[in-house]
Amino acid sequence: MSEVVRGKAHRATARVKRFFGEKRRRPSSPVSSMRSFWGLLLAYWLSNRWRDAWGLTILILLLTGLSAQASVWFALTSGELVNRIANFHHPTVPTTPASLLKTAATLAAIAITRDAGFTAVRHFLSTSLHRKWRQWLDERFNQALLDSSHTHFHLQQNGFGGAGEANTSSPDNIDQRVQEAIRGMTGGAIGLGIGIAGVVLSLAFVGGKLIETSSPIRGLDVLGGYGSAFLTLLAIAIYVPLNTFIAAKLGGILQGLSIRIQSAEGSYRSELNQFLRRSFHVAVIRGEPAQKALNVRRYQDIDYTWARLNRITAGYMGFELVHNFIGSRIVAYAPGLLPYVDKTISLQDYVTGAELATALINECSWFIHAMPDIATLRADARRITELAEAIETVQRPQDYYAQSGPAAFEYTIAEAVEGGLTIHSVELLHTGEDEPFLTAIELNFALGEWTLVMGESGSGKTSLLKAINGLWPHGRGKITLPDGLRTLFAAQEVKLQGVCLKDLVCLPDDAREHKDAAVSTALEEAGLHEISGELFDEGREGQQWDKLLSGGEKQKLVLAKVLLLKPGLLFLDEATSALDGQAVQAFYQAIKENCPEATVIAIMHDTSSIQSEGGIDFFDSVLVIEGGIAEKMSISAWRSAQTNAPLR
């Protein structure tokens, strides 16, 4: 093989891989590092946004440290205030009103600085970090889902809870995972990080001061002056971990219920979305009673899980309140009571030690206070990592589909410039089935050839077009595409994105690549004169084009796209079903005149308009699908086979 031929073959193979998202080695998605809990939590700090992430994190840690130090100042000043109150009527050195007010004002200033200063500013910085982190994750998942390999489409093809292994099912409610789960996870993770930092810094600042202000304890002479600190830290070391263990057990139950209610909510939400999409059909058949019963069944799982969650949450709240009371009123004050009774410390030192112990208990008990949030955090993180894992798996669609059925399509590019579209030994299968529902032994579509696809509903016409375009999951066979031709697939049901009219006509091209006049001309030639001057509008009076345009107008918009982009390979899946006979003729006549070299494969049920007004056939051949077999014949042979039979 010459260098020129080898080079051309290499470029052709690369185009196939780009078109169908296939690569020789397993590609990585933008969320590949987020398939584990810690990978998800650390990805932002290791990304190209690390300066924002670490800058805000350091400031938050600094304010957390200042808040912990302020707790020490608060405890010391509280002890001093109590002591001054106790000595207000002292016979020899009474407290003066001025000194009492000064100490009270100092205590208030410390509290205001800590709460309104350090804590409030830290909250602002943490919410800013939350916003930036969530925005980055949303951006990464959007890049992963909306890539050129159509990951968003492939993810939904195996069907959640459908046939095949559980781990091959599509993730449910992708919208909830990308929006609500990411928002909850990022907020919960930042709170968790601040809590851990608070515990560590409080142990350093508050614990250090507790040891510094320690006093001897009768019976613990071996510890010297660290007796009271030892008793306090021992009490905290026993009390807090024990209650944290209980909280962790309850938190595990809460986590399981949180995951279950998210799944139940997702199932109900999915059903409501499906219902709203088929609202018209439900109204036509008066199917509201059946839909109502279905909604009730979906909601029952939510209600049952929510009731259990409420019981556990109420029990947890009671446990937390009891923990707080015993910790701040008994555990904090008991260790210092012995030296105070023995008169080895003053009332001021006793109150100061108790306040320090209370502050330390509160900080170390953060896990107990936040356990329900931690449970929700882990549930949210699990939903996100599941989505990231599914996205990574789908980077090679055929490998993904192969987990639930045969997926052995081979896509190549015709090397010769005159090569057309060729289908060799193609079999299409449904998920979980081994027998093909459609077989195409050998089909050839020459460049510029127009082919009409005929067959009963459900025979596999649309499935075949999807398979040619790499959008059918299961099957086998070889599909060879012509080299260097733009491909356009027009589906029967047109769903328009919420963008301006020019974007709708130009997609997938960037609208800036086409002149406004050319787009307006295409719209006019397609029969959309009345909107051809509204290129930069996303709709009218608050409604998008998808709601404003009728089915026929949407199909004319598809024609405008064809006339503008001039594809070389055009697939039309009942793309004229909403047009009358005259409009159908105009549709195909416009393509004939503007795209004379295009290869067209069109599915039609009503063939009454497959000829021009002059009686000339638009199509050169007919692909008939019958009995699970696809066979191609000339238009004249097909007409002969239809002798004395009405056109379908």
Side-chain angles (χ1 to χ4, degrees):
M1 181 184 295
S2 69
E3 290 297 323
V4 174
V5 174
R6 278 198 298 268
K8 184 174 182 180
H10 176 75
R11 290 191 298 273
T13 303
R15 280 193 294 272
V16 172
K17 291 176 179 178
R18 286 196 301 271
F19 184 77
F20 294 104
E22 295 290 316
K23 297 182 180 179
R24 190 171 298 279
R25 61 180 179 84
R26 183 188 182 92
S28 293
S29 71
V31 297
S32 60
S33 63
M34 306 176 202
R35 292 173 289 161
S36 66
F37 179 77
W38 288 110
L40 175 63
L41 261 59
L42 295 176
Y44 180 51
W45 279 260
L46 300 177
S47 71
N48 58 356
R49 307 273 184 88
W50 64 270
R51 290 182 180 85
D52 283 347
W54 284 107
L56 287 170
T57 301
I58 291 170
L59 289 175
I60 291 169
L61 291 176
L62 177 62
L63 289 169
T64 302
L66 290 173
S67 181
Q69 181 61 58
S71 296
V72 174
W73 299 333
F74 186 89
L76 294 174
T77 309
S78 294
E80 182 181 351
L81 179 62
V82 171
N83 187 63
R84 289 190 182 281
I85 293 172
N87 291 328
F88 194 80
H89 298 292
H90 197 279
T92 57
V93 284
T95 300
T96 63
S99 62
L100 182 62
L101 289 174
K102 180 180 179 181
T103 304
T106 302
L107 185 65
I110 292 172
I112 292 171
T113 301
R114 182 188 62 183
D115 298 337
F118 302 150
T119 304
V121 173
R122 183 183 68 180
H123 175 74
F124 171 73
L125 294 176
S126 65
T127 52
S128 296
L129 179 60
H130 183 191
R131 176 175 58 83
K132 290 176 178 293
W133 187 13
R134 180 190 174 189
Q135 186 274 334
W136 181 80
L137 281 174
D138 183 80
E139 177 184 291
R140 300 301 288 176
F141 273 93
N142 270 283
Q143 288 178 359
L145 289 168
L146 301 173
D147 60 5
S148 60
S149 300
H150 315 303
T151 291
H152 64 95
F153 172 81
H154 296 301
L155 270 179
Q156 302 177 79
Q157 293 313 295
N158 273 2
F160 182 71
E165 298 296 328
N167 62 355
T168 65
S169 296
S170 302
D172 67 321
N173 294 98
I174 294 176
D175 57 336
Q176 186 272 341
R177 294 172 188 258
V178 172
Q179 288 296 309
E180 296 173 17
I182 285 181
R183 182 183 62 200
M185 186 280 299
T186 48
I190 290 172
L192 175 63
I194 292 175
I196 293 173
V199 171
V200 173
L201 292 171
S202 291
L203 285 172
F205 290 106
V206 181
K209 196 63 179 180
L210 194 62
I211 293 173
E212 181 184 330
T213 58
S214 180
S215 59
I217 295 287
R218 179 163 38 97
L220 294 175
D221 300 327
V222 67
L223 298 175
Y226 298 110
S228 63
F230 172 78
L231 279 183
T232 301
L233 293 175
L234 179 63
I236 295 173
I238 294 174
Y239 181 71
V240 174
L242 177 62
N243 283 279
T244 301
F245 175 78
I246 297 172
K249 291 297 183 181
L250 293 173
I253 299 174
L254 287 173
Q255 178 183 341
L257 291 173
S258 295
I259 293 173
R260 179 168 177 177
I261 199 169
Q262 284 182 345
S263 177
E265 292 275 11
S267 178
Y268 187 41
R269 178 176 180 172
S270 177
E271 178 55 42
L272 288 177
N273 286 334
Q274 292 286 344
F275 159 64
L276 292 174
R277 282 197 289 268
R278 58 176 179 250
S279 178
F280 170 75
H281 304 285
V282 172
V284 167
I285 64 172
R286 300 183 183 276
E288 286 84 0
Q291 186 66 46
K292 189 186 301 181
L294 179 58
N295 289 353
V296 169
R297 289 201 303 273
R298 295 284 189 182
Y299 191 80
Q300 282 175 346
D301 193 23
I302 296 176
D303 188 65
Y304 172 74
T305 307
W306 198 357
R308 291 188 60 196
L309 187 61
N310 287 346
R311 289 194 293 269
I312 300 298
T313 302
Y316 193 94
M317 181 181 295
F319 159 76
E320 185 179 357
L321 292 173
V322 171
H323 165 82
N324 293 341
F325 172 77
I326 295 176
S328 61
R329 292 293 178 264
I330 297 177
V331 177
Y333 280 84
L337 189 60
L338 290 176
Y340 179 69
V341 170
D342 289 342
K343 298 182 179 180
T344 57
I345 60 172
S346 65
L347 177 62
Q348 178 177 348
D349 293 336
Y350 176 47
V351 174
T352 298
E355 289 290 339
L356 288 170
T358 299
L360 194 58
I361 289 172
N362 287 338
E363 291 295 344
C364 292
S365 299
W366 180 87
F367 291 102
I368 296 174
H369 303 320
M371 195 60 69
D373 296 327
I374 294 173
T376 303
L377 160 66
R378 293 189 64 85
D380 286 332
R382 177 176 172 180
R383 290 182 68 76
I384 300 168
T385 54
E386 284 176 349
L387 178 58
E389 179 63 37
I391 289 173
E392 186 68 11
T393 303
V394 174
Q395 293 310 293
R396 296 191 67 178
Q398 292 212 79
D399 289 350
Y400 170 66
Y401 293 134
Q403 299 178 66
S404 56
F409 292 113
E410 179 186 354
Y411 295 94
T412 60
I413 291 287
E415 295 183 12
V417 69
E418 66 273 7
L421 170 64
T422 302
I423 295 175
H424 178 70
S425 300
V426 167
E427 296 179 338
L428 304 186
L429 301 92
H430 292 299
T431 301
E433 297 183 3
D434 296 325
E435 292 298 321
F437 65 88
L438 176 61
T439 300
I441 304 300
E442 192 73 38
L443 299 176
N444 296 287
F445 304 88
L447 293 179
E449 180 182 3
W450 281 46
T451 302
L452 175 66
V453 182
M454 299 292 298
E456 298 292 335
S457 296
S459 60
K461 302 183 297 297
T462 299
S463 302
L464 180 60
L465 265 58
K466 287 181 177 180
I468 295 172
N469 285 271
L471 299 175
W472 186 259
H474 298 297
R476 57 181 68 90
K478 183 176 180 179
I479 298 172
T480 301
L481 297 162
D483 185 18
L485 295 185
R486 175 193 283 271
T487 300
L488 196 151
F489 190 145
Q492 175 183 4
E493 188 176 9
V494 182
K495 296 291 186 181
L496 303 178
Q497 294 170 266
V499 295
C500 72
L501 185 61
K502 184 178 180 182
D503 284 335
L504 290 175
V505 179
C506 295
L507 285 171
D509 289 354
D510 189 318
R512 291 171 294 186
E513 299 176 13
H514 299 276
K515 295 181 179 180
D516 297 349
V519 178
S520 295
T521 299
L523 286 167
E524 292 171 359
E525 291 180 356
L528 295 172
H529 305 78
E530 66 278 6
I531 63 173
S532 62
E534 302 177 55
L535 296 184
F536 299 100
D537 295 335
E538 296 182 2
R540 295 173 183 163
E541 299 178 354
Q543 287 198 3
Q544 296 179 347
W545 293 116
D546 189 60
K547 294 291 185 182
L548 290 169
L549 300 182
S550 66
E553 288 173 326
K554 290 179 182 179
Q555 292 184 337
K556 289 181 180 180
L557 192 65
V558 171
L559 174 59
K561 181 188 294 288
V562 173
L563 300 181
L564 177 71
L565 302 182
K566 292 182 170 53
L569 187 55
L570 179 59
F571 300 92
L572 302 174
D573 184 3
E574 298 195 53
T576 58
S577 58
L579 302 175
D580 59 30
Q582 187 176 359
V584 172
Q585 288 180 329
F587 185 100
Y588 287 118
Q589 188 64 47
I591 296 176
K592 276 285 188 184
E593 293 175 356
N594 289 272
C595 308
E597 298 180 357
T599 301
V600 178
I601 301 176
I603 296 173
M604 293 180 68
H605 280 290
D606 182 4
T607 59
S608 59
S609 303
I610 62 173
Q611 293 181 329
S612 67
E613 291 184 354
I616 300 174
D617 284 318
F618 289 120
F619 294 90
D620 305 298
S621 57
V622 178
L623 178 64
V624 178
I625 300 177
E626 188 173 358
I629 303 296
E631 292 183 328
K632 189 163 169 280
M633 63 185 72
S634 66
I635 188 73
S636 57
W638 177 75
R639 287 193 182 281
S640 298
Q642 302 298 309
T643 302
N644 299 324
L647 293 177
R648 290 181 295 172

